[in-house]
């Protein structure tokens, strides 16, 4: 797994208030299923989604966001239920369409914090077009990609991030396709902020999500997540601790990777935060345009009245 | 202003002030009707023959302080429309041909998850890529049955440019009132032709807005899925005091486990909800059924037509009446829910029912279904080469008129 040459960013500025006990965070942000009422977490035991969920909750808490001002937008996958475990409003529709829906929500309600919860397949297979175009538009939403290398909900088929030669239910002889790099695609499509983290690096995950939400513009956090049940078991890592150890042993920070030779970082997960060039944010640009049109400063162009573009 | 149009669409006309009279293209008229209804979000992907709707919306939405968003494809467009609607913003998209096929996924969500939205399908001829610049009436059954799963759908068809204005406004009103994706199916011919339209003052037109949790008469959220609520639920927009899950109104955070069942958990909830999605519309059939009837009281030859082809049929009816044939026209403005009782009533005296349409008989199938116990002969006039149906082709099917036509030819 490699990442295109982009400068690793400094750790995002964050509030230094004393962290609240997790119980308080849960009370305010969480809608924790209650066994007594016949509801329980729908994740497999040891699933990395639990760590990711609490990291998202902690990031909300650190940023002191009101649940009423948060909308999570989900797609299809094991993580799809996550939105209902928060007190925030949730939109959950077609598989892969979260970035499209999130774009519209943010355009209509710029005051809301819009976070999409998507899987690797959701964001980069069935929903790849919405992902890259939301990045190109630089709409101020945060896309969280739970990357477990596999289609978990349907029982472990390969997806767009499945590493070559690994075994899945639909690559029984080993995966022959190449995989996507989530951070590369995000930055290449125009995202101003992209981060990669793993379920082993839980504190880093909180900071990465916090930075993404704070970033004005399109931001992506790729969470490398363990699916030991459907991917690990087929690839020599049958338990959650096996996979956490794998992430621990094979991750290096972007700052450290920058000092190493390319061959030394081959096959490693480079975790960290990258920033792209600053680009105008769609919502702000649209609202400025509306103001100019309504103020009579600009009229719809007549045919042939445009100018050649200033090329960057 | 043609008050008959408003009357047929069951729109109150009092207080409406005419502000302007303009020569409008059908697609422009659709845009203006939507804006008058309060649509402030448009997402779409340009496609012939509805491109002018996107072009016009890109000008108008900026002017009225709404949003124009050109999406990467139709699937994104319909989901963006739903995203906007979840904030309480009235929103729409327009497409045609293969574009409407791509949108079926999202249309199903809008109708099932009850997200108000307007979907305009300016019909080209199909199937597949079809014939982009030619008109068709081939997406009729798709409009009703396109998405997976079972739910009722409201499908409306205009036949003139002026009617397109009011029908679009009405469609937005119905999408709000019934909280569903309403589909209109103007043909390419309606979208591209120009006719004179009396433009009302938009502040004086009758518009409707969805029921919200804080509105008077809104039910308690705990009643949404326990079977005691009326069929139309209060819509919870995101970013309000109320927690919203796909527009469902969830109790605030004081009740950590909510006590409200999530939609479609458990088979009884599924059963209840699917029946509710049907009943909320079929039990209010009168509110969504619009037709135009010409000489149907004593019609022995009944023409049932819709869209532009009803204009041809109207001409044929007048010609037949001149020749002493008791002909009548039932023009369907509402295609679905199919106006079963009105068709049965209009056909009461008929011994011949003619259904001219630019497809292989999609509405004729519905007519045959509802007149299955009726002795009348039911025949179709079907064009699938994008040419329009001529009045003579209809009249040839009527014995008296046919003799007259033969005589004229000699």
């Amino acid at each position: 797994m490699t990442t295109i040459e982009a400068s690793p960013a400094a750790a995002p500025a964050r509030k230094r208030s004393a962290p609240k006990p997790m119980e308080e965070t849960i009370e305010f942000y969480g809608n924790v299923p209650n066994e007594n009422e016949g509801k329980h977490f729908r994740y497999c035991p040891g699933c990395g989604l639990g760590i990711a969920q609490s990291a998202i909750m902690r990031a909300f808490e650190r940023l002191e966001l009101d649940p009423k001002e948060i909308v999570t937008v989900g797609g299809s996958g094991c993580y799809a239920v996550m939105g209902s475990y928060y007190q925030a409003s949730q939109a959950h529709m077609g598989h892969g369409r979260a970035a499209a829906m999130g774009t519209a929500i943010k355009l209509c309600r710029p005051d809301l914090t819009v976070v999409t919860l998507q899987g690797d397949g959701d964001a980069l297979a069935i929903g790849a077009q919405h992902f890259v175009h939301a990045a190109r538009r630089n709409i101020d939403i945060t896309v969280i990609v739970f990357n477990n290398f596999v289609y978990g909900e349907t029982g472990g088929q390969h997806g767009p991030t499945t590493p070559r030669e690994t075994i899945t239910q639909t690559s029984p002889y080993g995966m022959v396709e190449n995989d996507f790099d989530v951070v590369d695609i995000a930055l290449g499509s125009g995202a101003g902020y992209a981060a990669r983290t793993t379920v082993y690096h839980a504190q880093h995950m909180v900071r990465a999500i916090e930075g993404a939400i704070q970033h004005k513009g399109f931001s992506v956090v790729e969470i490398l997540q363990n699916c030991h049940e459907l991917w690990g078991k087929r690839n020599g890592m049958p338990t959650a601790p096996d996979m956490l150890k794998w992430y621990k042993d094979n991750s290096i920070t972007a700052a450290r990777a920058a000092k190493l030779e390319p061959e030394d970082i081959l096959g490693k997960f480079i975790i960290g935060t990258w920033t792209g060039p600053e680009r105008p944010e769609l919502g702000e640009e649209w609202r400025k345009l509306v103001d100019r049109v309504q103020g009579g400063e600009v009229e719809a162009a007549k045919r042939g009245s445009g100018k050649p573009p200033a090329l960057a | 202003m043609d008050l008959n149009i408003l009357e047929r669409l069951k729109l109150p006309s009092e207080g409406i002030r005419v502000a302007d009279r303009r020569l409008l293209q059908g697609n422009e008229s659709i845009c203006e009707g939507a804006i008058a209804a309060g649509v402030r979000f448009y997402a779409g992907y340009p496609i012939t023959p509805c491109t002018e709707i996107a072009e016009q919306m890109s000008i108008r939405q900026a002017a009225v302080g709404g949003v124009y968003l050109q999406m990467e494809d139709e699937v994104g467009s319909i989901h963006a429309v739903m995203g906007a609607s979840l904030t309480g913003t009235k929103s729409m998209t327009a497409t045609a041909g293969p574009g409407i096929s791509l949108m079926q996924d999202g249309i199903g969500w809008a109708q099932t998850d009850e997200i108000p939205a307007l979907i305009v399908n300016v019909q080209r001829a199909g199937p597949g890529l079809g014939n982009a610049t030619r008109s068709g009436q081939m997406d009729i059954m798709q409009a009703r049955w396109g998405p997976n799963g079972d739910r009722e759908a409201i499908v409306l068809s205009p036949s003139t440019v002026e009617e397109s204005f009011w029908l679009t406004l009405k469609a937005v009103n119905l999408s709000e009132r019934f909280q569903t994706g309403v589909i209109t199916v103007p043909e390419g011919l309606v979208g591209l032709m120009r006719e004179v339209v009396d433009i009302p003052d938009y502040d004086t037109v009758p518009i409707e807005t969805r029921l919200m949790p804080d509105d008077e008469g809104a039910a308690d959220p705990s009643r949404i899925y326990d079977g005691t609520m009326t069929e139309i639920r209060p819509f919870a927009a995101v970013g309000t005091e109320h927690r919203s899950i796909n527009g469902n109104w969830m109790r605030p955070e004081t009740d950590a486990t909510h006590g409200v069942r999530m939609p479609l958990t458990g088979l009884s909830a599924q059963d209840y909800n699917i029946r509710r999605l049907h009943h909320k519309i079929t039990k209010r059939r009168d509110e969504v059924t619009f037709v135009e009837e010409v000489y149907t009281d004593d019609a022995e030859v009944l023409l049932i037509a819709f869209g532009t082809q009803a204009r041809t049929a109207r001409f044929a009816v007048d010609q037949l009446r001149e020749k002493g044939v008791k002909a009548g026209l039932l023009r369907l403005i509402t295609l679905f829910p199919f106006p079963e009782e009105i068709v049965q009533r209009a056909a009461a005296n008929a011994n011949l029912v003619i259904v001219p349409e630019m497809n292989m008989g999609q509405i004729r199938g519905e007519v045959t279904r509802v007149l299955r116990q009726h002795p009348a002969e039911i025949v179709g006039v079907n064009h699938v080469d994008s040419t329009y149906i001529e009045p003579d082709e209809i009249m040839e099917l009527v014995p008296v008129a046919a003799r007259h036509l033969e005589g004229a030819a000699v």
Side-chain angles (χ1 to χ4, degrees), chain B residues 50-96:
Chain B
C50 73
T51 319
E52 291 83 359
I53 297 181
E55 290 176 351
Q56 192 64 16
M57 278 295 185
S58 73
I59 298 171
R60 295 287 284 139
Q61 287 297 348
V64 298
V67 174
Y68 170 83
L69 180 61
Q70 193 161 304
M71 288 303 286
E72 45 276 9
D73 59 22
E74 285 86 353
V75 192
S77 303
I78 182 70
H79 279 86
V81 162
M82 287 191 286
S85 188
L86 280 174
T87 69
T89 308
K90 292 182 186 179
S91 53
M92 73 170 281
T93 185
T95 188

Side-chain angles (χ1 to χ4, degrees), chain A residues 27-28 30-34 37 39 42 66-71 76 83-95 97-109 111-112 129-131 133-134 136-137 282 286 289-291 293-294 300, chain B residues 40-41 57-59 61-73 75-77 79-87 89 105 109-110 113 115 237-247 251-262 265:
Chain A
E27 196 178 323
F28 194 53
N31 168 29
V32 177
N34 180 340
E37 297 211 1
K39 292 179 173 183
R42 286 193 249 172
D66 186 334
K68 294 186 180 70
E69 292 162 2
I70 304 168
V71 187
S76 296
S84 60
Y85 296 153
Y86 297 122
Q87 295 293 357
S89 285
Q90 184 203 10
H92 169 216
M93 287 184 200
H95 189 8
R97 317 300 164 201
M101 292 187 73
T103 300
I105 292 171
K106 189 70 184 179
L107 282 170
C108 292
R109 283 292 302 274
D111 56 314
L112 300 180
Q129 72 273 42
H130 312 307
F131 180 91
H133 285 279
R136 172 181 65 79
R137 295 184 180 104
L282 173 65
W286 178 260
L289 176 74
V290 167
D291 286 347
V293 171
Q294 292 189 327
Chain B
R40 291 296 178 270
F41 184 93
M57 278 295 185
S58 73
I59 298 171
Q61 287 297 348
V64 298
V67 174
Y68 170 83
L69 180 61
Q70 193 161 304
M71 288 303 286
E72 45 276 9
D73 59 22
V75 192
S77 303
H79 279 86
V81 162
M82 287 191 286
S85 188
L86 280 174
T87 69
T89 308
D105 174 18
W109 280 99
D113 275 44
I115 315 296
V238 298
T240 67
E241 282 302 299
H242 305 284
R243 182 173 182 234
S244 160
I245 293 195
N246 279 5
R251 274 189 186 160
E253 61 275 13
T254 48
D255 177 0
T257 50
H258 294 286
V260 178
R261 282 195 293 169
M262 287 284 291
T265 53

